[in-house]
Amino acid sequence: MDPARFAAFANLMVGYRLDTVFHALADPTRRAMLARLAGGEKPVAELIRGFPMSDAGAAKHLAVLESAGLVGGRREGRRRLCALDTDPLGEAALWLRRWQLPESPRIARLRGMLDAAERLA
């Protein structure tokens, strides 16, 4: 495959991966699941505890996170353990930085609010 064709193909693959990552991050339940996994590997039962949904609904959310590459899993006996993979988040952050403009006062306030909320979590 010639270099120009490979570059176009690679760009499509990165674009698809970004699409799946942003889709996964678009839902507050999935973001909450990722936040729980930031503390380390967790069994599925512990990960989904407290969410107002069926097990099937939780499984669908996990499938979206897994297809985006944000969550990986392994079996330990009868338990399924989930772990956060931050590589796709890094790729998304790099892509977003390409479009970042100098920070406006409004964005600075939003960043401060998010930082404060993160410290409380």
Side-chain angles (χ1 to χ4, degrees):
M1 183 181 291
D2 70 81
R5 247 181 117 182
F6 178 76
F9 175 75
N11 193 34
L12 285 174
M13 293 305 295
V14 169
Y16 173 76
R17 179 144 169 162
L18 284 172
D19 291 348
T20 60
V21 169
F22 287 128
H23 170 71
L25 296 174
D27 184 86
T29 298
R30 292 192 287 267
R31 290 192 305 270
M33 287 179 171
L34 291 176
R36 288 182 181 183
L37 289 174
E41 188 176 62
K42 298 209 177 342
V44 170
E46 184 180 330
L47 179 62
I48 66 173
R49 187 177 298 129
F51 289 112
M53 68 180 79
S54 66
D55 288 348
K60 288 179 183 179
H61 282 294
L62 277 173
V64 170
L65 292 169
E66 288 171 343
S67 72
L70 293 165
V71 171
R74 67 181 180 91
R75 290 241 175 241
E76 187 178 86
R78 294 181 59 179
R79 297 185 324 159
R80 181 168 168 237
L81 300 169
C82 294
L84 177 64
D85 184 347
T86 59
D87 287 348
L89 294 174
E91 293 169 12
L94 284 173
W95 185 86
L96 287 169
R97 267 190 226 119
R98 286 185 4 192
W99 308 106
Q100 189 173 9
L101 300 174
E103 198 168 80
S104 71
R106 184 175 169 188
I107 296 297
R109 283 193 311 274
L110 177 59
R111 183 181 307 281
M113 290 169 49
L114 290 172
D115 289 345
E118 196 172 276
R119 284 190 296 272
L120 293 175

